[in-house]
Amino acid sequence: MNNERNNNTAAGGIGFCGLLGIAFIVLKLTGVIGWSWLWVLAPLWIPAVIAIGILLICLVVVLCCELLKGARK
């Protein structure tokens, strides 16, 4: 019983986008869907594009704030 309380292992998983990507790949390879590979692999690359976009927006905001601080001095 004491071991159950002290078990700090994290259970990771494939995630929704990974599972959706695998499902789309299987459907494409079996001929069920006739989508372009760009859209079949979209669940794998769209989250990365969103993350890069958020990082770029944050970078622009930080740079603008620093430039405004410099202009005030």
Side-chain angles (χ1 to χ4, degrees):
M1 184 177 272
N2 197 15
N3 285 340
E4 291 178 20
R5 276 188 258 147
N6 292 332
N7 189 1
N8 291 332
T9 59
I14 192 168
F16 177 73
C17 290
L19 188 61
L20 192 61
I22 290 172
F24 285 170
I25 290 169
V26 169
L27 291 172
K28 172 77 172 173
L29 292 175
T30 57
V32 175
I33 57 176
W35 302 348
S36 163
W37 279 104
L38 177 74
W39 297 114
V40 171
L41 298 174
L44 303 176
W45 60 264
I46 286 179
V49 170
I50 291 171
I52 291 170
I54 290 171
L55 286 173
L56 288 174
I57 290 170
C58 291
L59 180 65
V60 168
V61 168
V62 168
L63 287 174
C64 287
C65 288
E66 290 297 321
L67 287 174
L68 289 175
K69 282 183 189 177
R72 290 182 192 161
K73 290 183 179 180

